[in-house]
Amino acid sequence: MVLRLREGETGLDSDRFPWESLFRRPGREEVPFIRRKEGGEEGGGFGERWKKIRPRTKWIVGIIVLVLLALLLSASWLSTFYTDYLWYREVGYTSVFWKRIVTQVWLFFAFAALFFVLFYGNIYLAKRLTPRYERPLSELSPVEESVLRFRERAGRWLDRGLIVGSLVVSFFVGWASAAQWENVLKFFTHASFGKADPVFGKDLGFYVFEFPLLRYFSGWLFAVLLFAALAAVAVHFLYGTINFGAKGQRFAPHVKAHLSVLAGVLLLVQAWRFRLDMFALLHSHHGPVAGATYTDVHARIPAYWILIVTCLVCAALFLLNIRYRGWRLPFAGVVGIVVVSLLAGSLYPFIVQTYVVKPKELARESEYIGYNIEFTQDAYRIQDEGEEATVERRLFPASTDLTYQDILANQVTVDNIRLWDPRLVQQVYNQRQELRQEYDFSDVDVERYTVFDGRYTQMLVSGRELDVDQLREDARSWQNLHLSYTHGYGLVMSPTNRMTPEGDPVLLIRDIPPVSDQGLGVEVLRPEIYYGERAHDYVVVRTGAPEIDYPLGNTNKYVEPYYQGEGGIPVSSFLRRLAFSIRNRDISFLFSGYIHRDSRLMFRRNVRERALEVAPFLRLDGDPYLVVTGDGRLVWILDAYTTTDLYPYSEPYNGEFNYIRNSVKVVIDAYDGRLTYYLADPDDPIALTYGKIFPRLFTSMEEMPEDIKRHVRYPEDLFSIQMEMYRTYHINDVSAFYQKEDVWDVSTETYGAGGEPQAVTPYYVILKIPGEEREEMVLMLPFNPRGKSNMVDWVAARCDFPHYGKLLNFSFPAGKLVNGTQQFESLVDQKTEISEQITLWNQAGSRVIRGNTLVIPIENSLIYVEPLYLLAANPAIPQLKRVIVGYGDRVEMEPTLNEALQALLGEQPTPQPQPQPQPQPEGDLANLVEEANRLYDEAQAALRSGDWAAYGAKMEELSRVLDRMSELTRTTP
């Protein structure tokens, strides 16, 4: 349809909206859009009313609207900021919070202002300080005419748009640059490594602390100047001061000066970047090892110096060109930079590498390989020579004269040989001790405790944590998830080498509430776990809703009178409730009637998240472990590392970092979330730097309570990283290192139901180190020569003070062949009795799981231990059924470790003490059946009432009665 105007009608009446006449139909009464009052006055339309408002009032209304809109858009950020501050105040690290915030704020303004000055300053110069060409329109090209008309139409809005656009871009540049707060703080406040690099002679702290900010700022400055130069060219063209259509002078003199200065400054910045690229060679990887190699030192570094000089000359040419016509001089300089970059930066290093280095690589690179060995060993603390050696080399005879008397003399070691695999024990715990569907044992840790009046014992420990994801769908109400189900409860503890007659682990601490064996010496008095590995969402305590403490039969025991700790943030005001509601996007929290002025909200309850929030610059170990303190509290210990990828001449680990220290131990209370960072390595320059930046962050290791300190262990992740590097970097001779003559492999074992070989993982064991007086816990790992099956060395990390952290490398005598773990596995497979028994069990509907192969040093000999587990189809609970022990070329399999050792070493098994007859039950089989039924009924009654101690006692009595019934059945004809 085509709209046509009637004769004499313009279509845009001055007293109507522009579109009004278009919708007016011929022959119909005209209905105005704005009704008029009687007397000819217009009605109270919004537009007319707005026109009558005073300008000052309009400004006030506009400001109010903008403020409300800004508050609405920033509500999420403000709530996060406010609640973060409350959280930092709860944990006592507000100084860390404000130091980070203040640094980010001034970085934001500094970088935003600098960008605005450089960017808009050049735009302003392009507009104001250059003359314009005045030419008739007839002489302009179509493009120039279009640009001129655009500039005339834009008018003042073009200038305003450039200012606003510059401010907006400056805001985002400042926001992105604020993320450099850590590098800025390290640049201005850092410690010294006390060691210089071998090429430039700079302290290593320059590369770790100063170089990252210098590299960032040089790249940032180059990009900003380039962006400003392009914007200046565009503005010059837009305002007619650059005329590409002219046959003569295309650039006004001032324009040429402006752009020449910008280009000269850009080249100066690029020369600075070339200088920084020299330093980057020290942690590059261009040759056989990490770090600057022969080609880097003798070709690339001279090439960078030539490029620097070329850039300086070219910058001077740009400045000199201001007084000359044309661009020939600077163009020649730019071409020179390109040519020098190709010849000196690429071709010359290629020629040196191909024709100088490769024919005699070892001779040329030996100096730099030596640097790599030295600095890599230092970066991972695996030096085994010199005054700064951290690995002590010792000779281990691996003798073959071990006797059973030696076993008896090392009974503490034998009693702590780990027979239970933590991964399999986790299944047992989940089946036997979950007790309710909402509980879960997410991890089992290996620790040690002094129990039963002084017995040093290795334990398996796992906390019973709350996992609300396992609740039934109909039980996942807001109240249940945030107010009622708030914490896990207690833990389970069992020795690593003890088992029941049925093949289950012996639980020394078990059940809900936690029950400890009499005389154990370890008791859990504060079993609630509000902070743990499985805690993710927030919870609120001290509310009007019932808070479940632990299950009691078919019901629940509630927290009475209420949560007693100081964990969590008080939500006593409406502002706090509103802030947390916005943060969590949870309106129920704001309007819940159960929350009152005494309520406390707990968030960041995951121990890893909690530790990283305060110190995001630390790298955390993957295995936090739960410890029972002397006063019965539960605390988490997390190992934290300082790392960098900028350590000169150090080989990177998996491309992630090339320096690591276990400098911090983080302790978190499971009940109230108290957070403490203990400085474990005061000699680490990175940790010392963060200590200078945040003076109140770290606590001296000497202040760690003894009941926590005795449970500190050498972290498995760190040991694995060190051993991955040490298997190559134990070689100190440059020639042998280059030829890789003595590289090791981690020993392998046959593990699991499938019997597939896998690398041995580091394992904790309590033993008496040869030459020491008492037993201690160590973390150890055996090695084979590359491509071979025999064992060549084993390395141990000491876990007990005062020797904590020291590494021991035990080597065997030259020419002595010692069986490796896989050779032991082959001997097991070749033993007919063992293979037949495994086959029989697998055919019976169960699965045989082969456990970890442990190499155990006793006196000057090595024994090999491998447990066998039987996994039934239903329920899938692994049970320890046999223990295989090897020594030399002999292997034996028996139901217990002691029996296997006795069979292996030629000793007759000692008579086992017969159980004393119980006063009840007595009599024949019928009486035993009656007694078993009675005990079962009493156990079920105890279970329903929540009396776990009585339930366990009745089940143990029932087990003994069933054993006597079985014995009586076998002996009855």
Side-chain angles (χ1 to χ4, degrees), residues 697-711:
L697 176 60
F698 296 133
T699 302
S700 173
M701 192 70 177
E702 297 176 355
E703 299 181 29
M704 178 182 284
E706 286 299 324
D707 57 348
I708 298 178
K709 194 173 184 179
R710 68 172 65 105
H711 295 288

Side-chain angles (χ1 to χ4, degrees), residues 374-381 647 650 658-661:
E374 175 189 351
F375 281 80
T376 300
Q377 290 180 344
D378 181 64
Y380 294 94
R381 297 198 71 175
Y647 199 81
S650 177
N658 63 1
Y659 172 97
I660 185 170
R661 292 288 188 274

Side-chain angles (χ1 to χ4, degrees), residues 664-713:
V664 181
K665 305 286 186 179
V666 187
V667 177
I668 301 177
D669 192 288
Y671 184 67
D672 58 23
R674 281 178 297 176
L675 183 62
T676 309
Y677 296 82
Y678 291 100
L679 184 60
D681 186 359
D683 297 327
D684 174 29
I686 298 181
L688 290 178
T689 296
Y690 287 122
K692 288 184 177 182
I693 295 172
F694 306 109
R696 299 182 181 179
L697 176 60
F698 296 133
T699 302
S700 173
M701 192 70 177
E702 297 176 355
E703 299 181 29
M704 178 182 284
E706 286 299 324
D707 57 348
I708 298 178
K709 194 173 184 179
R710 68 172 65 105
H711 295 288
V712 170
R713 65 186 191 185

Side-chain angles (χ1 to χ4, degrees), residues 520-534:
L520 179 65
V522 180
E523 189 174 3
V524 180
L525 301 178
R526 179 56 75 184
E528 299 89 345
I529 302 177
Y530 285 91
Y531 301 85
E533 295 183 84
R534 301 300 298 269

